[in-house]
Amino acid sequence: MPKAKKHRRKASITSSSLTGVPLPSGSSSNPSSTRTFIRQFHVLIKRKAQLQRLLEEPRIRKFDEQDATRKELASIEREITNLGGLETYQRMSSIGQGNDRGGGSEKVLIGWLNEFSEPQRLCETNGRFKLLEVGALKHDNYAAHASWIDNTPIDLHSRHPSIKEQDFLLLSEDQNRSKWDIISLSLVVNFVPEPKHRGRMLQLAHTMLRSDGYLFLALPLPCILNSRYMTPEHLQDLMQNLGFTQMRSRWKEGGKMAYWLYKKTAIPSHRNLMPYQKKTVLRTGNRNNFCILL
């Protein structure tokens, strides 16, 4: 009788394997190690949010269940700390956007705005776009375009005095209503652990953009091509229901990133939000669980 196969658990990433290795400014660590670290960090952050939600649930849970949840949460938090925390995650992400890796996503946004002749139009009128760059890892991503872009970079953990430490989801909706010409959500929505908070982020972006303002969205390509709950068509319908018209999109089969440029339009009067209020399986098989809920 053949022996059953043993499933070996993947070894966790430790601080000694990643964070203990010095990473010179402007150079890249091993690309595979960087991607593995970022994926592992996302998994830990998502599980941490799930455990915190369980502890906050109003229904009565057995003491041993609560105790087990607290112990797992403490273990997850220790592993995040051992990985170096958010600061190391940001450092790895910044390296992934280095010039030797093709640069940051701002190049894509600038390229599209040039296609629409926005720089020329603004320079002729002595105007500047008010840009809110969410999840900014560098303070000077748009410095070369300061003549027509007035950039405000924010992040959960500021790495520079010019980057405001701010949670986008906690920004005042009233104070930011129709305030921004462009909002950049590059590798931000996928970092948010709760699917409903991802949807809330997109809804807030619509509120905070001026009429005809631009939303720039960047996600890892597997979020739309290898998810149980998300496809390019599903995302397109979701954005239309939120009041966004797609102007540009860019990705390639076998690539790692997907980019979109949307323009704010009126929210449809007869929109249907039901397909985006609970997880609906769109694919089966070995898939990831990325989704956006409203």
Side-chain angles (χ1 to χ4, degrees):
M1 184 174 179
K3 293 183 179 179
K5 291 184 179 179
K6 293 183 178 179
H7 296 282
R8 295 183 179 180
R9 189 176 182 179
K10 293 183 180 179
S12 62
I13 306 168
T14 62
S15 58
S16 60
S17 63
L18 283 175
T19 59
V21 180
L23 300 171
S25 176
S27 67
S28 297
S29 65
N30 180 276
S32 178
S33 295
T34 303
R35 290 193 297 270
T36 301
F37 175 92
I38 290 172
R39 283 196 298 267
Q40 178 71 356
F41 197 89
H42 282 190
V43 169
L44 291 171
I45 290 295
K46 181 178 179 181
R47 184 56 181 161
K48 177 181 176 180
Q50 291 171 340
L51 294 170
Q52 289 174 329
R53 187 173 66 250
L54 285 174
L55 290 174
E56 293 169 358
E57 284 182 349
R59 69 185 181 90
I60 298 175
R61 297 170 60 84
K62 294 180 180 179
F63 176 80
D64 56 345
E65 291 179 345
Q66 291 180 329
D67 189 53
T69 301
R70 290 191 185 96
K71 287 180 178 178
E72 185 182 354
L73 178 59
S75 176
I76 292 291
E77 289 175 337
R78 283 195 299 272
E79 191 165 356
I80 291 173
T81 299
N82 289 338
L83 283 171
L86 185 57
E87 183 175 353
T88 300
Y89 169 83
Q90 289 176 316
R91 186 158 57 105
M92 285 291 190
S93 298
S94 181
I95 287 170
Q97 295 180 15
N99 290 331
D100 55 344
R101 301 272 185 92
S105 60
E106 69 275 2
K107 292 183 178 180
V108 179
L109 173 58
I110 293 298
W112 281 336
L113 293 175
N114 273 308
E115 287 183 21
F116 300 138
S117 302
E118 293 290 11
Q120 295 88 332
R121 180 180 67 82
L122 290 167
C123 288
E124 288 172 0
T125 59
N126 293 320
R128 290 202 299 169
F129 271 139
K130 290 180 66 65
L131 165 65
L132 179 63
E133 184 187 9
V134 184
L137 296 176
K138 299 179 181 179
H139 70 286
D140 57 354
N141 283 331
Y142 295 90
H145 312 282
S147 63
W148 59 282
I149 291 181
D150 177 14
N151 184 30
T152 299
I154 65 172
D155 196 30
L156 291 172
H157 177 74
S158 173
R159 304 177 76 228
H160 190 276
S162 297
I163 300 175
K164 182 180 180 181
E165 193 156 293
Q166 172 69 56
D167 186 338
F168 176 78
L169 289 169
L170 297 180
L171 281 171
S172 168
E173 190 170 349
D174 289 334
Q175 292 178 9
N176 287 275
R177 191 179 303 275
S178 302
K179 177 178 179 179
W180 304 96
D181 298 296
I182 309 173
I183 294 178
S184 170
L185 299 178
S186 177
L187 293 175
V188 173
V189 174
N190 59 295
F191 183 80
V192 176
E194 294 292 338
K196 286 190 176 181
H197 292 171
R198 296 169 189 160
R200 176 63 177 158
M201 180 171 279
L202 295 174
Q203 290 173 310
L204 281 175
H206 189 276
T207 298
M208 295 178 182
L209 283 169
R210 66 165 175 79
S211 179
D212 293 330
Y214 292 109
L215 173 65
F216 178 63
L217 177 65
L219 293 171
L221 189 56
C223 288
I224 60 166
L225 293 190
N226 195 41
S227 170
R228 289 180 182 85
Y229 311 111
M230 181 64 67
T231 65
E233 296 76 20
H234 192 72
L235 177 63
Q236 174 74 355
D237 289 342
L238 168 67
M239 298 303 288
Q240 286 179 347
N241 273 281
L242 291 179
F244 289 106
T245 297
Q246 181 176 301
M247 306 298 293
R248 293 287 188 274
S249 66
R250 171 178 158 184
W251 74 77
K252 62 180 179 180
E253 293 289 341
K256 296 180 175 61
M257 289 292 300
Y259 308 92
W260 296 266
L261 185 65
Y262 298 98
K263 180 167 281 193
K264 175 179 176 176
T265 53
I267 295 175
S269 56
H270 300 291
R271 62 178 178 170
N272 178 19
L273 298 182
M274 287 297 294
Y276 317 105
Q277 293 178 347
K278 66 178 181 178
K279 290 183 178 180
T280 302
V281 176
L282 303 174
R283 300 188 185 98
T284 57
N286 185 21
R287 307 286 182 176
N288 66 63
N289 295 317
F290 178 81
C291 68
I292 299 174
L293 299 179
L294 302 176

